[in-house]
Amino acid sequence: SQISKKQPLFSITKSLHTALSGINELVDAEMESLIADLQTLIRQPSVSAKKQGLVECANLVAKIMRKAGINSEVLYLDDKNIPPIVYGELKSKSNPNKTILFYNHYDVQPEEPVELWENEPFSGKVEGNYVFGRGSADDKGELITRIKAVEYCLKKTGDVPCNVKFMVEGEEEVGSVHVEQYLNRYNNRLSCNGVIWEFGYVDAEDRPIISLGMKGLLYVELIAKGPVRDAHSSLAVLIENPAWRLISALNTMRDQTGKILIKDWYKEVRPFTEQELSVIASEPFDVEEFKKEYGISKFVADTKGTDIKKALVGMPTCNIAGFNSGYIGEGAKTVLPSQAMVKIDFRLVPDMVPERQLERLKNHLREHGFSDIEVKLIHGEAAARTPISDPFVRQVEQAAKETCGSAIISVSSAGTGPMYSFAKMLKAPCISIGSTYMFARIHSPNEFARIDLLNKMTKCIGRVMEKFAS
């Protein structure tokens, strides 16, 4: 199946297109191999929050890549305690002038609470159309579809439609702390013309959602301190409870409609363009299915219509992610805690700068009489958004429609990732498309990947490479 180097480029492209059309049959025939590789990855715990199994999983990913015919290396920064990245590369004989980069991650969320899993969290158990296990969808399932798409291209044609690169990191679930250092250190190796992002959702009607951006993030801890040790709660008439202190501070930061009350918080928010507003208005969103899935009866501020979709893709948030103070065990313990801590994640949108928003938060607390509350920065990430007019968007959309029947363009994901760093340092458009069913319980017990969607997306990724090369 090797293509002769003497053929003209048009003939090579035409021959490759014909061969790629036959990849679908190969994907169908080799699904057992795809599932087996995914199970192998799931069964290797790789929890970045616990620093568990990361190097082992990186080496495993590199091994699977090499088995697929992709040249791969495990790369480190100077500090070997920092989880490595897996770098993969395959050069195209037919089109060496265009390069696509697949960005993924091999780390996963902690499995807790373990007691809510119906199977072992790292079992990779197959039941019917489902593969269960932590990482099955986020993000090992997505990674396998991309590796396999490249493998099947090689098997069918002896080539890939364009140069292919992989960057697979091990800290995405803890904020991609060192991703900019990796992008800087290995910038030449990672240079590309377009990036396919680490994930992509599929909606309840099996339509891929092609996301063109990611929200940013400011994650902080607020800590209030009271007496030097826990006290008897009868002393609450004299000693201020730090939990109440935090609650009072939180009430100054956000109102009941979700509006953030910190001065100038929205000052730099980039307004939607007319084209973005048109896309948002046309994007389907099943309100009742969403409410049913999460067991809710209404949205914040009773949001309705197009405002629901605008909020998801382009509105900042202030969310309490965790609150810890005092006694939380069974039964009663009459205690006045010595300390209270709250974790808050603020979702940011273009062109909000995390460092500037952090200073606004600190100023707000000082101006409202809460200068005693400690503000601890956990992570900051700017938002990114690829323009709808970029040709890469149409190429991915066409590939999705040809393999999945339909597709949805979304201005941005509601979630966060280091897309801003990639766009800034690689100067390439970034687009999310993938196989993750939108209710696949990612970050929750009983996470799963759907086998039919893994099949479709493997075919789709092959078509994305073809469209991108042309």
Side-chain angles (χ1 to χ4, degrees), residues 100-360:
I100 194 166
L101 172 71
F102 295 111
Y103 161 66
N104 287 90
H105 61 94
Y106 60 81
D107 65 316
V108 300
Q109 283 280 321
E111 65 272 28
E112 286 82 3
V114 176
E115 66 274 11
L116 296 183
W117 285 81
E118 295 174 7
N119 300 294
E120 288 297 317
F122 299 104
S123 68
K125 185 175 181 179
V126 174
E127 291 184 2
N129 189 39
Y130 304 95
V131 183
F132 289 93
R134 178 60 83 228
S136 56
D138 181 18
D139 182 52
K140 293 175 179 179
E142 301 284 17
L143 172 59
I144 285 295
T145 63
R146 294 156 189 202
I147 293 173
K148 287 298 183 179
V150 173
E151 178 183 343
Y152 299 151
C153 277
L154 284 173
K155 282 186 177 181
K156 196 71 178 178
T157 72
D159 196 11
V160 281
C162 58
N163 299 328
V164 175
K165 295 180 179 180
F166 284 84
M167 177 183 172
V168 190
E169 68 150 318
E171 293 183 296
E172 195 276 341
E173 297 292 6
V174 291
S176 299
V177 185
H178 298 96
V179 75
E180 281 213 7
Q181 289 176 248
Y182 275 113
L183 288 169
N184 185 57
R185 167 73 66 88
Y186 300 106
N187 191 268
N188 289 335
R189 290 204 197 192
L190 296 168
S191 64
C192 62
N193 306 107
V195 180
I196 293 295
W197 204 244
E198 47 104 356
F199 79 99
Y201 288 119
V202 177
D203 75 359
E205 296 185 26
D206 288 353
R207 294 171 294 194
I209 301 171
I210 301 169
S211 294
L212 308 185
M214 298 288 290
K215 284 185 177 179
L217 183 72
L218 174 63
Y219 200 111
V220 299
E221 289 179 357
L222 304 185
I223 302 166
K225 295 182 178 179
V228 293
R229 61 180 180 276
D230 287 358
H232 194 288
S233 65
S234 64
L235 300 179
V237 293
L238 299 177
I239 301 173
E240 184 172 21
N241 188 316
W244 281 118
R245 184 78 176 148
L246 266 190
I247 290 168
S248 297
L250 292 170
N251 278 328
T252 70
M253 293 164 52
R254 175 190 180 274
D255 68 16
Q256 294 301 306
T257 70
K259 181 181 178 182
I260 300 169
L261 304 176
I262 299 169
K263 184 180 178 182
D264 292 332
W265 195 258
Y266 299 92
K267 186 175 181 180
E268 289 85 22
V269 170
R270 184 194 303 173
F272 292 118
T273 66
E274 289 300 318
Q275 191 177 20
E276 287 171 341
L277 287 171
S278 176
V279 167
I280 291 168
S282 63
E283 182 179 343
F285 182 83
D286 192 328
V287 171
E288 295 310 313
E289 180 68 23
F290 188 94
K291 289 179 178 178
K292 178 182 176 182
E293 177 66 25
Y294 290 102
I296 60 175
S297 58
K298 66 176 185 176
F299 294 126
V300 173
D302 203 23
T303 304
K304 291 182 171 63
T306 304
D307 286 341
I308 296 171
K309 296 180 283 187
K310 287 168 68 175
L312 268 177
V313 302
M315 291 300 294
T317 67
C318 172
N319 174 66
I320 296 175
F323 197 113
N324 184 23
S325 186
Y327 178 71
I328 55 173
E330 292 185 16
K333 181 182 182 183
T334 52
V335 61
L336 190 157
S338 62
Q339 180 172 298
M341 183 273 289
V342 64
K343 293 178 181 284
I344 303 177
D345 64 81
F346 296 91
R347 299 288 167 169
L348 311 178
V349 300
D351 297 298
M352 301 172 83
V353 179
E355 293 81 5
R356 187 181 298 141
Q357 301 304 113
L358 177 63
E359 286 307 308
R360 285 171 174 159

